Amino acid sequence: MTHAHGSHRHGHDHDQAEILDLDAEVLAEHLASIVAWLPVPAAPRAIVDLGSGTGAGTLALLARFPDARVTAVDASPAHLRRLAEKAGGGVRIVEADLDHDWPDLGAPELVWASASLHHMADPDATLRRVHDLLPPGGLFALVELDGFPRFLPPDAPADRPGLEDRAHAASERHHAEHVPHRGADWGPRLAAAGFTVEAERTVTVNIEKAASASVGRYALSSLRRLRTTVEDALSPDDLAALDRLLDPDDPDGLLRRDDLSVRTERRVWAARRNRP
Ligand SMILES: C[S@@+](CC[C@H](N)C(=O)[O-])C[C@H]1O[C@@H](n2cnc3c(N)ncnc32)[C@H](O)[C@@H]1O
C-alpha cells in the first residue's frame, strides 16, 4: 500500500454512511424508544427529518407513524440514495444544504433532527427556521450525542491500555475547534428561538459484551474514521496499536474480539412551538 493516507481519506466518505447504517442497526431499540416517548397528542400527517443521513430517524418515525408523509432532507446525495433504497419510495427526499435557503418542506406538525443540528453553520438560525416551519403547538424533536461511542474495555488493547480514551481526547481537541456546537446545551437556545421545552431526557446506551458481527463492524468503521482526525496527534506506539485494531486480519483486531461493548449517550429535547 503506497498511499496509506489517501486510502484512509478514500474510506472516510464510505465510512460515514456505513457508520450511520450500523448505528441505526445496533441502536434500533433505543431509537424506537425515543420515538415512542415523543409527546405527540395525535399522529402527525407530515414530518420533516432534518439532516436525515441514511434514514435512521426517518424509518423509525415511519414505523411509529405509518400514515405520515415524511420528508427527509440532507446535503449528501450519497446518503439520500441509501435512504431511498431502504425506504422504497414511501419518503419524499429533498437534497438541500440547510445552511442556505430552505426549499419548500411542506407543513409538518413534527420536525426531527438527530445528530445534525451541531453541523449547521448557525444552529440558532436553524432553530428559528424550524420554529417558523412548524404551526403553533407543533413539536420539534432534537436528538444530539454527547460524544462518540466507546467500544473497548479500559484495559485494552493489552499492549496500549487506554488507547481509545487517548484517541478520543485528541479527537475532542480537534472537534472543539472544528465542530464547536457539538455537546451544547440546547435547552436555552430552543427557548430563545420561541420553543417551550416540554420534556428532556438522556438515553444511556450500554450494550455489554456485544459479540454480534454488526458491533465489530460498527467499532471498526467508527475507529477507522476517528483515525483520520487523530493520526497526527497520537504517539507512534498508539497509532501502531490502533492500526492493529483496525486490521481485519489481526487476531486482536476489532473484527475478531469478543470483548467489545457499545457505550454512548443521546440527549433528547421535545420542544413545542409556543402558541400565540
Ligand atoms: C451525524 S449525521 C446524522 C444522520 C441522521 N440524522 C442519523 O441520526 O443517523 C449528520 C447528517 O447531517 C447532514 N448535514 C450536515 N450539515 C448539513 C447541512 N448544512 N445541510 C443539510 N444536511 C447537513 C450530513 O450530511 C449528515 O447526513
Short mmCIF file of all heavy atoms in Angstrom, two decimals, residues 16 19-21 23-24 31 49-58 73-77 79 95-100 112-121 143 145 148 225 266, ligand 1:
data_model
loop_
_atom_site.label_atom_id
_atom_site.label_comp_id
_atom_site.label_asym_id
_atom_site.label_seq_id
_atom_site.Cartn_x
_atom_site.Cartn_y
_atom_site.Cartn_z
N GLN A 16 -18.76 7.08 6.64
CA GLN A 16 -19.81 7.82 7.34
C GLN A 16 -21.17 7.17 7.11
O GLN A 16 -21.93 6.94 8.04
CB GLN A 16 -19.87 9.30 6.95
CG GLN A 16 -20.96 9.97 7.80
CD GLN A 16 -21.11 11.46 7.62
OE1 GLN A 16 -20.77 12.00 6.58
NE2 GLN A 16 -21.64 12.14 8.63
N ILE A 19 -21.24 3.93 9.00
CA ILE A 19 -21.42 4.15 10.44
C ILE A 19 -22.88 4.47 10.74
O ILE A 19 -23.47 3.94 11.69
CB ILE A 19 -20.51 5.30 10.96
CG1 ILE A 19 -19.04 4.88 10.91
CG2 ILE A 19 -20.89 5.68 12.39
CD1 ILE A 19 -18.07 6.03 11.12
N LEU A 20 -23.48 5.34 9.92
CA LEU A 20 -24.88 5.73 10.18
C LEU A 20 -25.79 4.51 10.09
O LEU A 20 -26.70 4.33 10.91
CB LEU A 20 -25.33 6.81 9.20
CG LEU A 20 -24.62 8.17 9.34
CD1 LEU A 20 -25.11 9.13 8.27
CD2 LEU A 20 -24.83 8.76 10.72
N ASP A 21 -25.55 3.65 9.10
CA ASP A 21 -26.38 2.44 8.96
C ASP A 21 -26.17 1.48 10.13
O ASP A 21 -27.12 0.92 10.67
CB ASP A 21 -26.05 1.71 7.65
CG ASP A 21 -26.78 2.32 6.46
OD1 ASP A 21 -27.59 3.26 6.67
OD2 ASP A 21 -26.55 1.87 5.33
N ASP A 23 -25.02 2.24 13.10
CA ASP A 23 -25.55 2.92 14.29
C ASP A 23 -27.06 2.66 14.38
O ASP A 23 -27.58 2.32 15.44
CB ASP A 23 -25.24 4.41 14.10
CG ASP A 23 -25.65 5.26 15.26
OD1 ASP A 23 -24.85 5.39 16.18
OD2 ASP A 23 -26.77 5.78 15.25
N ALA A 24 -27.74 2.81 13.24
CA ALA A 24 -29.19 2.58 13.23
C ALA A 24 -29.51 1.14 13.59
O ALA A 24 -30.46 0.86 14.34
CB ALA A 24 -29.75 2.91 11.85
N LEU A 31 -33.49 3.86 19.56
CA LEU A 31 -34.09 4.86 18.68
C LEU A 31 -35.61 4.74 18.71
O LEU A 31 -36.35 5.74 18.81
CB LEU A 31 -33.57 4.64 17.27
CG LEU A 31 -33.79 5.76 16.27
CD1 LEU A 31 -33.22 7.06 16.80
CD2 LEU A 31 -33.12 5.41 14.94
N ASP A 49 -37.56 15.26 8.52
CA ASP A 49 -36.34 14.78 9.16
C ASP A 49 -35.18 15.62 8.61
O ASP A 49 -34.78 15.45 7.45
CB ASP A 49 -36.14 13.29 8.85
CG ASP A 49 -34.90 12.69 9.53
OD1 ASP A 49 -34.19 13.44 10.23
OD2 ASP A 49 -34.67 11.47 9.37
N LEU A 50 -34.66 16.51 9.44
CA LEU A 50 -33.62 17.45 9.01
C LEU A 50 -32.23 16.83 9.18
O LEU A 50 -31.86 16.44 10.28
CB LEU A 50 -33.65 18.71 9.88
CG LEU A 50 -34.77 19.73 9.67
CD1 LEU A 50 -34.57 20.89 10.64
CD2 LEU A 50 -34.83 20.23 8.24
N GLY A 51 -31.47 16.75 8.11
CA GLY A 51 -30.15 16.10 8.18
C GLY A 51 -30.36 14.62 8.41
O GLY A 51 -29.83 14.02 9.34
N SER A 52 -31.16 14.03 7.53
CA SER A 52 -31.66 12.66 7.73
C SER A 52 -30.57 11.61 7.62
O SER A 52 -30.75 10.48 8.09
CB SER A 52 -32.72 12.35 6.68
OG SER A 52 -32.14 12.47 5.38
N GLY A 53 -29.43 11.94 6.98
CA GLY A 53 -28.41 10.93 6.76
C GLY A 53 -29.00 9.78 5.95
O GLY A 53 -29.77 9.99 5.00
N THR A 54 -28.67 8.57 6.34
CA THR A 54 -29.14 7.40 5.59
C THR A 54 -30.50 6.92 6.09
O THR A 54 -30.97 5.85 5.70
CB THR A 54 -28.12 6.25 5.66
OG1 THR A 54 -27.94 5.88 7.03
CG2 THR A 54 -26.78 6.67 5.08
N GLY A 55 -31.14 7.67 7.00
CA GLY A 55 -32.55 7.42 7.28
C GLY A 55 -32.88 6.73 8.59
O GLY A 55 -34.03 6.29 8.77
N ALA A 56 -31.94 6.70 9.53
CA ALA A 56 -32.23 6.04 10.82
C ALA A 56 -33.52 6.60 11.43
O ALA A 56 -34.43 5.84 11.80
CB ALA A 56 -31.06 6.24 11.79
N GLY A 57 -33.58 7.93 11.52
CA GLY A 57 -34.76 8.56 12.13
C GLY A 57 -35.99 8.44 11.25
O GLY A 57 -37.08 8.15 11.73
N THR A 58 -35.79 8.67 9.95
CA THR A 58 -36.92 8.62 9.01
C THR A 58 -37.67 7.29 9.16
O THR A 58 -38.90 7.27 9.27
CB THR A 58 -36.39 8.72 7.56
OG1 THR A 58 -35.66 9.93 7.43
CG2 THR A 58 -37.53 8.72 6.56
N VAL A 73 -34.50 15.45 4.52
CA VAL A 73 -33.65 16.48 3.90
C VAL A 73 -32.21 16.25 4.32
O VAL A 73 -31.92 16.08 5.51
CB VAL A 73 -34.02 17.90 4.40
CG1 VAL A 73 -33.39 18.96 3.50
CG2 VAL A 73 -35.52 18.08 4.49
N ASP A 74 -31.31 16.30 3.34
CA ASP A 74 -29.88 16.18 3.67
C ASP A 74 -29.07 16.80 2.53
O ASP A 74 -29.55 16.91 1.40
CB ASP A 74 -29.48 14.71 3.85
CG ASP A 74 -28.23 14.55 4.71
OD1 ASP A 74 -27.11 14.78 4.19
OD2 ASP A 74 -28.37 14.21 5.91
N ALA A 75 -27.84 17.18 2.86
CA ALA A 75 -26.97 17.76 1.84
C ALA A 75 -26.21 16.69 1.07
O ALA A 75 -25.62 16.97 0.04
CB ALA A 75 -25.98 18.73 2.50
N SER A 76 -26.21 15.46 1.57
CA SER A 76 -25.38 14.43 0.95
C SER A 76 -26.20 13.54 0.01
O SER A 76 -27.05 12.76 0.45
CB SER A 76 -24.76 13.56 2.05
OG SER A 76 -24.36 12.31 1.50
N PRO A 77 -25.94 13.65 -1.30
CA PRO A 77 -26.67 12.80 -2.25
C PRO A 77 -26.44 11.32 -1.99
O PRO A 77 -27.35 10.50 -2.15
CB PRO A 77 -26.13 13.21 -3.63
CG PRO A 77 -25.18 14.32 -3.42
CD PRO A 77 -24.96 14.54 -1.96
N HIS A 79 -25.89 9.78 0.88
CA HIS A 79 -26.72 9.33 2.00
C HIS A 79 -28.18 9.20 1.57
O HIS A 79 -28.88 8.26 1.95
CB HIS A 79 -26.60 10.29 3.18
CG HIS A 79 -25.24 10.27 3.82
ND1 HIS A 79 -24.90 11.04 4.88
CD2 HIS A 79 -24.14 9.55 3.51
CE1 HIS A 79 -23.65 10.80 5.23
NE2 HIS A 79 -23.17 9.91 4.39
N GLU A 95 -32.79 17.02 -1.48
CA GLU A 95 -31.36 17.31 -1.30
C GLU A 95 -31.21 18.82 -1.14
O GLU A 95 -31.59 19.58 -2.03
CB GLU A 95 -30.59 16.82 -2.53
CG GLU A 95 -29.10 16.95 -2.36
CD GLU A 95 -28.35 16.69 -3.65
OE1 GLU A 95 -28.75 15.78 -4.40
OE2 GLU A 95 -27.37 17.41 -3.90
N ALA A 96 -30.69 19.24 -0.02
CA ALA A 96 -30.53 20.68 0.22
C ALA A 96 -29.49 20.91 1.29
O ALA A 96 -29.35 20.13 2.22
CB ALA A 96 -31.86 21.30 0.66
N ASP A 97 -28.77 22.02 1.13
CA ASP A 97 -27.85 22.46 2.18
C ASP A 97 -28.64 23.39 3.09
O ASP A 97 -29.03 24.49 2.69
CB ASP A 97 -26.66 23.20 1.54
CG ASP A 97 -25.65 23.64 2.59
OD1 ASP A 97 -26.02 23.69 3.79
OD2 ASP A 97 -24.51 23.94 2.21
N LEU A 98 -28.86 22.95 4.30
CA LEU A 98 -29.73 23.69 5.22
C LEU A 98 -29.07 24.96 5.75
O LEU A 98 -29.71 25.73 6.46
CB LEU A 98 -30.17 22.78 6.37
CG LEU A 98 -31.08 21.62 5.93
CD1 LEU A 98 -31.15 20.53 6.99
CD2 LEU A 98 -32.48 22.12 5.60
N ASP A 99 -27.80 25.17 5.40
CA ASP A 99 -27.17 26.44 5.75
C ASP A 99 -27.56 27.55 4.77
O ASP A 99 -27.26 28.71 5.00
CB ASP A 99 -25.63 26.31 5.74
CG ASP A 99 -25.14 25.53 6.95
OD1 ASP A 99 -25.85 25.53 7.98
OD2 ASP A 99 -24.07 24.91 6.85
N HIS A 100 -28.18 27.16 3.65
CA HIS A 100 -28.59 28.17 2.66
C HIS A 100 -30.11 28.25 2.64
O HIS A 100 -30.76 27.80 3.58
CB HIS A 100 -27.99 27.82 1.30
CG HIS A 100 -26.48 27.83 1.34
ND1 HIS A 100 -25.76 28.97 1.59
CD2 HIS A 100 -25.58 26.84 1.23
CE1 HIS A 100 -24.47 28.70 1.62
NE2 HIS A 100 -24.33 27.40 1.40
N TRP A 112 -37.94 16.55 13.13
CA TRP A 112 -36.97 15.71 13.84
C TRP A 112 -35.58 16.08 13.33
O TRP A 112 -35.39 16.24 12.12
CB TRP A 112 -37.30 14.25 13.52
CG TRP A 112 -36.28 13.20 13.86
CD1 TRP A 112 -35.22 12.82 13.10
CD2 TRP A 112 -36.28 12.36 15.02
NE1 TRP A 112 -34.55 11.79 13.73
CE2 TRP A 112 -35.19 11.49 14.91
CE3 TRP A 112 -37.10 12.25 16.14
CZ2 TRP A 112 -34.88 10.52 15.85
CZ3 TRP A 112 -36.80 11.28 17.10
CH2 TRP A 112 -35.71 10.43 16.96
N ALA A 113 -34.64 16.25 14.24
CA ALA A 113 -33.24 16.48 13.82
C ALA A 113 -32.35 15.69 14.76
O ALA A 113 -32.28 15.98 15.95
CB ALA A 113 -32.89 17.96 13.89
N SER A 114 -31.68 14.67 14.24
CA SER A 114 -30.82 13.83 15.08
C SER A 114 -29.38 13.93 14.63
O SER A 114 -29.05 13.63 13.47
CB SER A 114 -31.30 12.37 15.00
OG SER A 114 -30.39 11.55 15.69
N ALA A 115 -28.54 14.36 15.54
CA ALA A 115 -27.09 14.47 15.30
C ALA A 115 -26.77 15.34 14.09
O ALA A 115 -25.74 15.15 13.45
CB ALA A 115 -26.45 13.08 15.16
N SER A 116 -27.66 16.25 13.76
CA SER A 116 -27.42 17.11 12.60
C SER A 116 -27.32 18.59 12.97
O SER A 116 -26.58 19.34 12.32
CB SER A 116 -28.52 16.92 11.54
OG SER A 116 -29.80 17.14 12.09
N LEU A 117 -28.02 19.02 14.03
CA LEU A 117 -28.05 20.46 14.33
C LEU A 117 -26.64 21.01 14.57
O LEU A 117 -26.31 22.12 14.13
CB LEU A 117 -28.95 20.72 15.55
CG LEU A 117 -29.16 22.19 15.89
CD1 LEU A 117 -29.88 22.92 14.77
CD2 LEU A 117 -29.94 22.36 17.20
N HIS A 118 -25.79 20.22 15.27
CA HIS A 118 -24.47 20.74 15.59
C HIS A 118 -23.59 20.92 14.35
O HIS A 118 -22.55 21.57 14.42
CB HIS A 118 -23.77 19.87 16.64
CG HIS A 118 -23.38 18.51 16.14
ND1 HIS A 118 -24.19 17.41 16.27
CD2 HIS A 118 -22.28 18.09 15.49
CE1 HIS A 118 -23.58 16.37 15.73
NE2 HIS A 118 -22.43 16.75 15.25
N HIS A 119 -24.01 20.33 13.23
CA HIS A 119 -23.25 20.52 11.99
C HIS A 119 -23.58 21.85 11.30
O HIS A 119 -22.86 22.26 10.39
CB HIS A 119 -23.57 19.41 10.99
CG HIS A 119 -22.95 18.09 11.35
ND1 HIS A 119 -21.60 17.86 11.27
CD2 HIS A 119 -23.49 16.93 11.78
CE1 HIS A 119 -21.33 16.63 11.65
NE2 HIS A 119 -22.46 16.03 11.96
N MET A 120 -24.67 22.47 11.68
CA MET A 120 -25.09 23.67 10.96
C MET A 120 -24.15 24.84 11.27
O MET A 120 -23.67 24.98 12.40
CB MET A 120 -26.53 24.06 11.36
CG MET A 120 -27.55 22.97 11.14
SD MET A 120 -27.74 22.53 9.40
CE MET A 120 -28.28 20.82 9.55
N ALA A 121 -23.96 25.70 10.28
CA ALA A 121 -23.05 26.84 10.47
C ALA A 121 -23.61 27.78 11.54
O ALA A 121 -22.86 28.32 12.35
CB ALA A 121 -22.86 27.58 9.15
N VAL A 143 -32.34 15.50 18.82
CA VAL A 143 -31.52 14.44 19.41
C VAL A 143 -30.06 14.80 19.13
O VAL A 143 -29.71 15.15 18.00
CB VAL A 143 -31.82 13.06 18.76
CG1 VAL A 143 -31.04 11.96 19.46
CG2 VAL A 143 -33.32 12.77 18.78
N LEU A 145 -25.75 13.88 20.32
CA LEU A 145 -24.82 12.97 21.02
C LEU A 145 -23.92 13.78 21.93
O LEU A 145 -23.47 14.84 21.54
CB LEU A 145 -23.89 12.32 20.00
CG LEU A 145 -24.34 11.09 19.25
CD1 LEU A 145 -25.33 11.45 18.18
CD2 LEU A 145 -23.12 10.43 18.63
N PHE A 148 -18.72 10.50 21.03
CA PHE A 148 -18.77 9.33 20.17
C PHE A 148 -18.81 8.05 21.01
O PHE A 148 -18.33 8.04 22.14
CB PHE A 148 -17.57 9.31 19.24
CG PHE A 148 -17.64 10.39 18.21
CD1 PHE A 148 -16.74 11.44 18.22
CD2 PHE A 148 -18.64 10.37 17.24
CE1 PHE A 148 -16.83 12.45 17.27
CE2 PHE A 148 -18.73 11.38 16.29
CZ PHE A 148 -17.82 12.41 16.31
N ARG A 225 -12.63 5.94 11.19
CA ARG A 225 -12.91 7.35 10.92
C ARG A 225 -12.20 8.24 11.95
O ARG A 225 -11.66 9.28 11.61
CB ARG A 225 -14.42 7.56 10.98
CG ARG A 225 -14.81 8.90 10.48
CD ARG A 225 -16.27 8.93 10.16
NE ARG A 225 -16.62 10.26 9.74
CZ ARG A 225 -17.62 10.95 10.25
NH1 ARG A 225 -18.37 10.42 11.19
NH2 ARG A 225 -17.88 12.16 9.81
N ARG A 266 -27.38 9.59 24.28
CA ARG A 266 -28.10 10.53 23.42
C ARG A 266 -28.89 11.47 24.32
O ARG A 266 -29.50 10.99 25.29
CB ARG A 266 -29.09 9.81 22.51
CG ARG A 266 -28.48 8.76 21.61
CD ARG A 266 -27.86 9.37 20.38
NE ARG A 266 -26.70 8.59 19.99
CZ ARG A 266 -26.62 7.81 18.92
NH1 ARG A 266 -27.62 7.73 18.09
NH2 ARG A 266 -25.53 7.14 18.65
C1 LIG B 1 -24.20 12.52 12.04
S1 LIG B 1 -25.23 12.52 10.62
C2 LIG B 1 -26.83 12.12 11.34
C3 LIG B 1 -27.76 11.49 10.34
C4 LIG B 1 -29.10 11.02 10.86
N1 LIG B 1 -29.92 12.12 11.31
C5 LIG B 1 -28.94 9.98 11.96
O1 LIG B 1 -29.33 10.25 13.10
O2 LIG B 1 -28.44 8.90 11.66
C6 LIG B 1 -25.39 14.26 10.20
C7 LIG B 1 -26.09 14.48 8.88
O3 LIG B 1 -26.32 15.89 8.70
C8 LIG B 1 -26.09 16.19 7.35
N2 LIG B 1 -25.77 17.62 7.26
C9 LIG B 1 -24.73 18.25 7.84
N3 LIG B 1 -24.75 19.56 7.53
C10 LIG B 1 -25.82 19.76 6.74
C11 LIG B 1 -26.37 20.88 6.07
N4 LIG B 1 -25.80 22.11 6.17
N5 LIG B 1 -27.49 20.73 5.33
C12 LIG B 1 -28.07 19.50 5.22
N6 LIG B 1 -27.59 18.40 5.83
C13 LIG B 1 -26.48 18.52 6.56
C14 LIG B 1 -24.95 15.29 6.94
O4 LIG B 1 -24.91 15.12 5.53
C15 LIG B 1 -25.29 14.00 7.68
O5 LIG B 1 -26.08 13.15 6.91
#
